[in-house]
Short mmCIF file of all heavy atoms in Angstrom, two decimals:
data_model
loop_
_atom_site.label_atom_id
_atom_site.label_comp_id
_atom_site.label_asym_id
_atom_site.label_seq_id
_atom_site.Cartn_x
_atom_site.Cartn_y
_atom_site.Cartn_z
N MET A 1 6.29 61.75 146.23
CA MET A 1 5.95 63.14 146.47
C MET A 1 4.74 63.22 147.38
O MET A 1 3.94 62.29 147.44
CB MET A 1 5.66 63.85 145.14
CG MET A 1 6.80 63.79 144.17
SD MET A 1 6.39 64.68 142.66
CE MET A 1 6.99 66.31 143.10
N LYS A 2 4.64 64.37 148.01
CA LYS A 2 3.51 64.57 148.92
C LYS A 2 2.73 65.81 148.50
O LYS A 2 3.31 66.81 148.09
CB LYS A 2 4.02 64.77 150.35
CG LYS A 2 4.29 63.47 151.07
CD LYS A 2 4.42 63.73 152.56
CE LYS A 2 4.67 62.45 153.35
NZ LYS A 2 3.56 61.51 153.30
N ALA A 3 1.42 65.72 148.64
CA ALA A 3 0.57 66.88 148.39
C ALA A 3 0.11 67.44 149.72
O ALA A 3 0.01 66.72 150.72
CB ALA A 3 -0.63 66.46 147.55
N SER A 4 -0.16 68.73 149.72
CA SER A 4 -0.73 69.34 150.91
C SER A 4 -1.72 70.43 150.48
O SER A 4 -1.61 71.00 149.40
CB SER A 4 0.37 69.93 151.80
OG SER A 4 1.09 70.92 151.11
N VAL A 5 -2.69 70.65 151.34
CA VAL A 5 -3.70 71.67 151.09
C VAL A 5 -3.65 72.70 152.22
O VAL A 5 -3.68 72.33 153.40
CB VAL A 5 -5.11 71.05 151.03
CG1 VAL A 5 -6.17 72.13 150.87
CG2 VAL A 5 -5.21 70.04 149.89
N ASP A 6 -3.56 73.96 151.85
CA ASP A 6 -3.64 75.03 152.84
C ASP A 6 -5.12 75.29 153.12
O ASP A 6 -5.79 75.99 152.37
CB ASP A 6 -2.95 76.29 152.31
CG ASP A 6 -3.02 77.44 153.31
OD1 ASP A 6 -3.56 77.24 154.41
OD2 ASP A 6 -2.54 78.53 152.98
N LYS A 7 -5.59 74.72 154.20
CA LYS A 7 -7.02 74.77 154.50
C LYS A 7 -7.55 76.19 154.65
O LYS A 7 -8.71 76.46 154.37
CB LYS A 7 -7.31 74.03 155.81
CG LYS A 7 -7.55 72.55 155.63
CD LYS A 7 -7.66 71.90 156.98
CE LYS A 7 -8.99 71.26 157.20
NZ LYS A 7 -9.11 70.59 158.49
N ASP A 8 -6.70 77.07 155.11
CA ASP A 8 -7.15 78.45 155.35
C ASP A 8 -7.68 79.10 154.08
O ASP A 8 -8.55 79.96 154.14
CB ASP A 8 -6.01 79.29 155.92
CG ASP A 8 -5.69 78.89 157.35
OD1 ASP A 8 -6.55 78.24 157.98
OD2 ASP A 8 -4.59 79.20 157.82
N GLY A 9 -7.14 78.67 152.94
CA GLY A 9 -7.56 79.30 151.69
C GLY A 9 -8.55 78.48 150.90
O GLY A 9 -9.17 78.97 149.96
N CYS A 10 -8.71 77.21 151.25
CA CYS A 10 -9.60 76.31 150.50
C CYS A 10 -11.04 76.80 150.58
O CYS A 10 -11.54 77.12 151.65
CB CYS A 10 -9.48 74.89 151.07
SG CYS A 10 -10.64 73.71 150.34
N ILE A 11 -11.71 76.85 149.42
CA ILE A 11 -13.11 77.28 149.39
C ILE A 11 -14.06 76.10 149.27
O ILE A 11 -15.26 76.29 149.07
CB ILE A 11 -13.35 78.29 148.24
CG1 ILE A 11 -12.99 77.68 146.88
CG2 ILE A 11 -12.56 79.57 148.49
CD1 ILE A 11 -13.39 78.53 145.69
N GLY A 12 -13.52 74.89 149.36
CA GLY A 12 -14.37 73.71 149.40
C GLY A 12 -15.11 73.39 148.12
O GLY A 12 -16.21 72.83 148.16
N CYS A 13 -14.52 73.72 146.99
CA CYS A 13 -15.23 73.51 145.71
C CYS A 13 -15.29 72.05 145.30
O CYS A 13 -16.12 71.66 144.50
CB CYS A 13 -14.57 74.33 144.61
SG CYS A 13 -12.96 73.72 144.09
N GLY A 14 -14.38 71.24 145.81
CA GLY A 14 -14.41 69.81 145.52
C GLY A 14 -13.72 69.40 144.23
O GLY A 14 -13.70 68.22 143.88
N LEU A 15 -13.14 70.35 143.53
CA LEU A 15 -12.54 70.04 142.24
C LEU A 15 -11.36 69.07 142.36
O LEU A 15 -11.21 68.15 141.55
CB LEU A 15 -12.09 71.36 141.58
CG LEU A 15 -11.85 71.35 140.08
CD1 LEU A 15 -13.08 70.84 139.33
CD2 LEU A 15 -11.50 72.75 139.61
N CYS A 16 -10.53 69.27 143.35
CA CYS A 16 -9.36 68.40 143.48
C CYS A 16 -9.77 66.94 143.70
O CYS A 16 -9.18 66.02 143.14
CB CYS A 16 -8.44 68.88 144.60
SG CYS A 16 -9.26 69.13 146.19
N GLU A 17 -10.82 66.75 144.49
CA GLU A 17 -11.30 65.40 144.72
C GLU A 17 -11.87 64.79 143.44
O GLU A 17 -11.70 63.59 143.18
CB GLU A 17 -12.36 65.40 145.82
CG GLU A 17 -12.85 64.02 146.19
CD GLU A 17 -14.00 64.07 147.18
OE1 GLU A 17 -15.04 64.71 146.85
OE2 GLU A 17 -13.87 63.52 148.27
N GLN A 18 -12.55 65.61 142.66
CA GLN A 18 -13.10 65.12 141.40
C GLN A 18 -12.00 64.70 140.45
O GLN A 18 -12.11 63.68 139.76
CB GLN A 18 -13.95 66.20 140.73
CG GLN A 18 -15.30 66.43 141.37
CD GLN A 18 -16.05 67.58 140.70
OE1 GLN A 18 -15.99 67.77 139.49
NE2 GLN A 18 -16.72 68.38 141.50
N ILE A 19 -10.92 65.47 140.40
CA ILE A 19 -9.86 65.21 139.44
C ILE A 19 -8.95 64.08 139.92
O ILE A 19 -8.54 63.23 139.14
CB ILE A 19 -9.03 66.50 139.21
CG1 ILE A 19 -9.91 67.54 138.52
CG2 ILE A 19 -7.79 66.20 138.38
CD1 ILE A 19 -9.27 68.92 138.43
N CYS A 20 -8.65 64.04 141.20
CA CYS A 20 -7.69 63.04 141.71
C CYS A 20 -8.16 62.52 143.08
O CYS A 20 -7.58 62.85 144.12
CB CYS A 20 -6.30 63.67 141.80
SG CYS A 20 -5.03 62.47 142.24
N PRO A 21 -9.20 61.69 143.07
CA PRO A 21 -9.73 61.19 144.35
C PRO A 21 -8.78 60.24 145.08
O PRO A 21 -8.99 59.96 146.26
CB PRO A 21 -11.01 60.46 143.91
CG PRO A 21 -10.81 60.11 142.49
CD PRO A 21 -9.94 61.20 141.91
N GLU A 22 -7.75 59.77 144.37
CA GLU A 22 -6.78 58.88 145.04
C GLU A 22 -5.91 59.65 146.03
O GLU A 22 -5.27 59.04 146.90
CB GLU A 22 -5.89 58.20 144.00
CG GLU A 22 -6.62 57.30 143.03
CD GLU A 22 -7.10 58.05 141.77
OE1 GLU A 22 -7.08 59.30 141.77
OE2 GLU A 22 -7.50 57.36 140.82
N VAL A 23 -5.83 60.96 145.87
CA VAL A 23 -4.97 61.77 146.74
C VAL A 23 -5.78 62.75 147.59
O VAL A 23 -5.46 62.97 148.76
CB VAL A 23 -3.93 62.56 145.90
CG1 VAL A 23 -3.15 63.54 146.78
CG2 VAL A 23 -2.98 61.59 145.20
N PHE A 24 -6.84 63.32 147.00
CA PHE A 24 -7.59 64.37 147.70
C PHE A 24 -8.98 63.88 148.08
O PHE A 24 -9.62 63.15 147.33
CB PHE A 24 -7.71 65.61 146.80
CG PHE A 24 -6.39 66.18 146.37
CD1 PHE A 24 -5.88 65.90 145.12
CD2 PHE A 24 -5.65 66.97 147.23
CE1 PHE A 24 -4.65 66.40 144.71
CE2 PHE A 24 -4.42 67.48 146.84
CZ PHE A 24 -3.91 67.20 145.58
N ARG A 25 -9.43 64.34 149.22
CA ARG A 25 -10.80 64.07 149.63
C ARG A 25 -11.32 65.24 150.46
O ARG A 25 -10.54 66.01 151.04
CB ARG A 25 -10.90 62.78 150.45
CG ARG A 25 -10.18 62.85 151.78
CD ARG A 25 -10.23 61.52 152.49
NE ARG A 25 -9.38 61.52 153.68
CZ ARG A 25 -8.97 60.41 154.30
NH1 ARG A 25 -9.32 59.22 153.84
NH2 ARG A 25 -8.20 60.50 155.37
N MET A 26 -12.65 65.33 150.49
CA MET A 26 -13.27 66.39 151.26
C MET A 26 -13.52 65.88 152.68
O MET A 26 -13.91 64.74 152.89
CB MET A 26 -14.59 66.83 150.62
CG MET A 26 -14.47 67.28 149.17
SD MET A 26 -13.23 68.58 148.91
CE MET A 26 -14.05 69.95 149.75
N THR A 27 -13.29 66.74 153.64
CA THR A 27 -13.51 66.35 155.04
C THR A 27 -14.89 66.83 155.49
O THR A 27 -15.56 67.59 154.79
CB THR A 27 -12.43 66.99 155.94
OG1 THR A 27 -12.55 68.41 155.87
CG2 THR A 27 -11.04 66.58 155.50
N ASP A 28 -15.29 66.41 156.65
CA ASP A 28 -16.61 66.76 157.17
C ASP A 28 -16.76 68.26 157.37
O ASP A 28 -17.87 68.79 157.35
CB ASP A 28 -16.87 66.05 158.50
CG ASP A 28 -17.11 64.56 158.29
OD1 ASP A 28 -17.39 64.17 157.14
OD2 ASP A 28 -17.01 63.80 159.26
N ASP A 29 -15.64 68.95 157.58
CA ASP A 29 -15.74 70.40 157.78
C ASP A 29 -15.75 71.17 156.47
O ASP A 29 -15.74 72.40 156.46
CB ASP A 29 -14.65 70.91 158.72
CG ASP A 29 -13.25 70.56 158.24
OD1 ASP A 29 -13.13 70.08 157.10
OD2 ASP A 29 -12.29 70.77 158.99
N GLY A 30 -15.77 70.46 155.34
CA GLY A 30 -15.97 71.11 154.06
C GLY A 30 -14.72 71.57 153.33
O GLY A 30 -14.81 72.27 152.33
N TYR A 31 -13.57 71.12 153.82
CA TYR A 31 -12.32 71.47 153.16
C TYR A 31 -11.68 70.22 152.58
O TYR A 31 -12.02 69.10 152.96
CB TYR A 31 -11.35 72.13 154.15
CG TYR A 31 -11.89 73.37 154.78
CD1 TYR A 31 -12.29 73.36 156.12
CD2 TYR A 31 -12.01 74.54 154.06
CE1 TYR A 31 -12.80 74.51 156.71
CE2 TYR A 31 -12.52 75.69 154.63
CZ TYR A 31 -12.92 75.67 155.96
OH TYR A 31 -13.44 76.79 156.52
N ALA A 32 -10.74 70.45 151.68
CA ALA A 32 -10.03 69.32 151.10
C ALA A 32 -8.82 68.97 151.95
O ALA A 32 -8.25 69.83 152.63
CB ALA A 32 -9.58 69.67 149.68
N GLU A 33 -8.45 67.70 151.89
CA GLU A 33 -7.20 67.27 152.50
C GLU A 33 -6.52 66.28 151.56
O GLU A 33 -7.18 65.61 150.78
CB GLU A 33 -7.43 66.62 153.87
CG GLU A 33 -8.15 65.29 153.78
CD GLU A 33 -8.28 64.60 155.13
OE1 GLU A 33 -7.87 65.17 156.15
OE2 GLU A 33 -8.82 63.47 155.15
N ALA A 34 -5.21 66.24 151.66
CA ALA A 34 -4.44 65.25 150.93
C ALA A 34 -4.21 64.09 151.89
O ALA A 34 -3.60 64.26 152.93
CB ALA A 34 -3.12 65.85 150.46
N TYR A 35 -4.73 62.92 151.53
CA TYR A 35 -4.68 61.78 152.46
C TYR A 35 -3.78 60.66 151.97
O TYR A 35 -3.64 59.63 152.62
CB TYR A 35 -6.10 61.25 152.71
CG TYR A 35 -6.71 60.54 151.51
CD1 TYR A 35 -6.70 59.16 151.43
CD2 TYR A 35 -7.29 61.27 150.48
CE1 TYR A 35 -7.25 58.51 150.33
CE2 TYR A 35 -7.84 60.63 149.39
CZ TYR A 35 -7.82 59.25 149.32
OH TYR A 35 -8.36 58.61 148.23
N ASN A 36 -3.15 60.87 150.83
CA ASN A 36 -2.35 59.80 150.25
C ASN A 36 -1.12 60.39 149.57
O ASN A 36 -1.17 61.52 149.08
CB ASN A 36 -3.20 59.05 149.22
CG ASN A 36 -2.63 57.69 148.88
OD1 ASN A 36 -1.74 57.18 149.56
ND2 ASN A 36 -3.15 57.10 147.82
N ASP A 37 -0.05 59.64 149.56
CA ASP A 37 1.15 60.09 148.86
C ASP A 37 0.89 60.14 147.35
O ASP A 37 0.03 59.43 146.83
CB ASP A 37 2.31 59.13 149.13
CG ASP A 37 2.87 59.30 150.53
OD1 ASP A 37 2.54 60.31 151.17
OD2 ASP A 37 3.62 58.42 150.96
N VAL A 38 1.65 60.98 146.69
CA VAL A 38 1.54 61.10 145.23
C VAL A 38 2.60 60.20 144.60
O VAL A 38 3.74 60.61 144.40
CB VAL A 38 1.72 62.56 144.78
CG1 VAL A 38 1.56 62.67 143.27
CG2 VAL A 38 0.71 63.47 145.48
N GLY A 39 2.21 58.98 144.32
CA GLY A 39 3.13 58.05 143.66
C GLY A 39 3.25 58.38 142.19
O GLY A 39 2.54 59.25 141.66
N ASP A 40 4.17 57.68 141.51
CA ASP A 40 4.40 57.97 140.10
C ASP A 40 3.13 57.92 139.27
O ASP A 40 2.90 58.76 138.40
CB ASP A 40 5.42 56.97 139.53
CG ASP A 40 6.82 57.24 140.05
OD1 ASP A 40 7.03 58.31 140.64
OD2 ASP A 40 7.69 56.36 139.87
N SER A 41 2.29 56.95 139.55
CA SER A 41 1.08 56.77 138.73
C SER A 41 0.05 57.86 138.98
O SER A 41 -0.89 58.02 138.20
CB SER A 41 0.47 55.39 139.00
OG SER A 41 0.05 55.31 140.35
N LEU A 42 0.21 58.60 140.06
CA LEU A 42 -0.77 59.63 140.40
C LEU A 42 -0.26 61.04 140.13
O LEU A 42 -0.99 62.02 140.31
CB LEU A 42 -1.15 59.53 141.89
CG LEU A 42 -1.88 58.25 142.30
CD1 LEU A 42 -2.05 58.22 143.81
CD2 LEU A 42 -3.22 58.17 141.61
N GLN A 43 0.97 61.12 139.68
CA GLN A 43 1.60 62.43 139.55
C GLN A 43 0.85 63.33 138.57
O GLN A 43 0.65 64.52 138.83
CB GLN A 43 3.04 62.26 139.11
CG GLN A 43 3.92 63.40 139.58
CD GLN A 43 5.39 63.04 139.55
OE1 GLN A 43 5.76 61.90 139.82
NE2 GLN A 43 6.22 63.98 139.20
N GLU A 44 0.42 62.74 137.46
CA GLU A 44 -0.24 63.55 136.43
C GLU A 44 -1.57 64.11 136.93
O GLU A 44 -1.85 65.30 136.79
CB GLU A 44 -0.45 62.70 135.18
CG GLU A 44 -0.74 63.53 133.95
CD GLU A 44 -0.77 62.67 132.68
OE1 GLU A 44 0.06 61.74 132.56
OE2 GLU A 44 -1.63 62.93 131.84
N SER A 45 -2.38 63.24 137.52
CA SER A 45 -3.71 63.71 137.95
C SER A 45 -3.59 64.62 139.17
O SER A 45 -4.34 65.59 139.31
CB SER A 45 -4.64 62.53 138.23
OG SER A 45 -4.13 61.70 139.23
N ALA A 46 -2.66 64.34 140.06
CA ALA A 46 -2.48 65.22 141.22
C ALA A 46 -1.99 66.60 140.80
O ALA A 46 -2.43 67.62 141.34
CB ALA A 46 -1.49 64.59 142.21
N THR A 47 -1.12 66.63 139.81
CA THR A 47 -0.64 67.91 139.29
C THR A 47 -1.76 68.67 138.61
O THR A 47 -1.89 69.89 138.76
CB THR A 47 0.52 67.68 138.30
OG1 THR A 47 1.57 66.99 138.97
CG2 THR A 47 1.05 69.00 137.76
N GLU A 48 -2.60 67.94 137.89
CA GLU A 48 -3.75 68.60 137.25
C GLU A 48 -4.68 69.19 138.32
O GLU A 48 -5.20 70.30 138.17
CB GLU A 48 -4.51 67.60 136.38
CG GLU A 48 -5.61 68.26 135.56
CD GLU A 48 -6.48 67.26 134.82
OE1 GLU A 48 -6.04 66.12 134.61
OE2 GLU A 48 -7.61 67.63 134.46
N ALA A 49 -4.88 68.45 139.40
CA ALA A 49 -5.72 68.96 140.49
C ALA A 49 -5.10 70.22 141.08
O ALA A 49 -5.80 71.21 141.33
CB ALA A 49 -5.88 67.88 141.56
N ARG A 50 -3.81 70.18 141.31
CA ARG A 50 -3.14 71.37 141.84
C ARG A 50 -3.32 72.56 140.91
O ARG A 50 -3.68 73.66 141.34
CB ARG A 50 -1.64 71.08 142.01
CG ARG A 50 -0.85 72.29 142.53
CD ARG A 50 0.62 72.13 142.30
NE ARG A 50 0.94 72.14 140.86
CZ ARG A 50 2.11 71.81 140.34
NH1 ARG A 50 3.08 71.42 141.13
NH2 ARG A 50 2.31 71.84 139.04
N ASP A 51 -3.12 72.34 139.63
CA ASP A 51 -3.19 73.45 138.67
C ASP A 51 -4.63 73.92 138.47
O ASP A 51 -4.85 75.04 138.00
CB ASP A 51 -2.59 73.02 137.33
CG ASP A 51 -1.09 72.76 137.43
OD1 ASP A 51 -0.49 73.18 138.44
OD2 ASP A 51 -0.54 72.14 136.51
N SER A 52 -5.60 73.08 138.80
CA SER A 52 -7.01 73.44 138.60
C SER A 52 -7.62 74.12 139.82
O SER A 52 -8.71 74.70 139.72
CB SER A 52 -7.82 72.19 138.28
OG SER A 52 -7.33 71.56 137.12
N CYS A 53 -6.97 74.05 140.96
CA CYS A 53 -7.52 74.66 142.17
C CYS A 53 -7.71 76.15 141.94
O CYS A 53 -6.76 76.86 141.63
CB CYS A 53 -6.59 74.42 143.35
SG CYS A 53 -7.13 75.26 144.86
N PRO A 54 -8.94 76.63 142.09
CA PRO A 54 -9.23 78.03 141.76
C PRO A 54 -8.54 79.03 142.69
O PRO A 54 -8.42 80.21 142.32
CB PRO A 54 -10.75 78.13 141.88
CG PRO A 54 -11.16 77.00 142.74
CD PRO A 54 -10.16 75.90 142.50
N VAL A 55 -8.11 78.59 143.86
CA VAL A 55 -7.46 79.52 144.78
C VAL A 55 -6.00 79.13 145.05
O VAL A 55 -5.35 79.67 145.95
CB VAL A 55 -8.26 79.64 146.11
CG1 VAL A 55 -9.52 80.44 145.87
CG2 VAL A 55 -8.59 78.28 146.67
N SER A 56 -5.51 78.17 144.29
CA SER A 56 -4.08 77.79 144.31
C SER A 56 -3.56 77.50 145.72
O SER A 56 -2.53 78.04 146.14
CB SER A 56 -3.23 78.91 143.68
OG SER A 56 -3.65 79.15 142.36
N VAL A 57 -4.27 76.63 146.43
CA VAL A 57 -3.81 76.30 147.79
C VAL A 57 -3.25 74.88 147.89
O VAL A 57 -2.97 74.40 148.98
CB VAL A 57 -4.94 76.49 148.83
CG1 VAL A 57 -5.30 77.95 148.96
CG2 VAL A 57 -6.16 75.64 148.50
N ILE A 58 -3.08 74.23 146.74
CA ILE A 58 -2.50 72.88 146.75
C ILE A 58 -1.02 72.97 146.40
O ILE A 58 -0.63 73.64 145.45
CB ILE A 58 -3.22 71.97 145.73
CG1 ILE A 58 -4.68 71.81 146.12
CG2 ILE A 58 -2.52 70.62 145.65
CD1 ILE A 58 -5.49 71.04 145.10
N ASP A 59 -0.23 72.29 147.21
CA ASP A 59 1.20 72.23 146.97
C ASP A 59 1.60 70.76 146.81
O ASP A 59 1.11 69.90 147.52
CB ASP A 59 1.95 72.86 148.14
CG ASP A 59 3.43 73.03 147.85
OD1 ASP A 59 3.77 73.43 146.73
OD2 ASP A 59 4.25 72.74 148.75
N ILE A 60 2.46 70.49 145.87
CA ILE A 60 3.01 69.13 145.70
C ILE A 60 4.51 69.23 145.69
O ILE A 60 5.08 69.99 144.91
CB ILE A 60 2.50 68.49 144.39
CG1 ILE A 60 0.97 68.38 144.39
CG2 ILE A 60 3.13 67.11 144.21
CD1 ILE A 60 0.39 67.88 143.08
N ALA A 61 5.13 68.51 146.59
CA ALA A 61 6.60 68.58 146.67
C ALA A 61 7.17 67.21 147.00
O ALA A 61 6.48 66.35 147.51
CB ALA A 61 7.02 69.56 147.74
S1 SF4 B 101 -9.65 72.51 144.38
FE1 SF4 B 101 -8.70 73.92 145.88
S2 SF4 B 101 -10.40 75.14 146.69
FE2 SF4 B 101 -11.30 73.36 145.67
S3 SF4 B 101 -11.57 71.85 147.33
FE3 SF4 B 101 -9.58 71.45 146.37
S4 SF4 B 101 -8.09 72.61 147.61
FE4 SF4 B 101 -10.13 73.42 148.09
#
């Protein structure tokens, strides 16, 4: 599975990176990006990051 972040809505809170740093990281411009595929072992934490995003801009498909 792949995660994606809609940068236009991201408020740069850093929560997704804190919850699942294997998939999400903050970029120099202050937004999150998904830089890694969501493998089976990361599905739980990536889903938690998605569900915890305060502005719901993370998609996993
Ligand atoms: S949790 Fe949501 S708002 Fe916060 S940095 Fe990640 S994508 Fe952006």
Side-chain angles (χ1 to χ4, degrees):
M1 302 181 90
K2 277 195 179 295
S4 60
V5 176
D6 179 3
K7 273 173 119 179
D8 289 341
C10 174
I11 59 172
C13 71
L15 199 55
C16 53
E17 184 186 58
Q18 285 176 37
I19 294 171
C20 187
E22 298 89 347
V23 173
F24 302 100
R25 66 184 171 197
M26 303 306 291
T27 62
D28 288 343
D29 56 10
Y31 301 107
E33 68 175 3
Y35 70 99
N36 197 13
D37 286 346
V38 182
D40 288 348
S41 63
L42 295 174
Q43 208 162 324
E44 197 173 322
S45 60
T47 301
E48 187 187 340
R50 179 197 66 192
D51 293 346
S52 301
C53 175
V55 286
S56 302
V57 293
I58 297 174
D59 189 42
I60 299 174

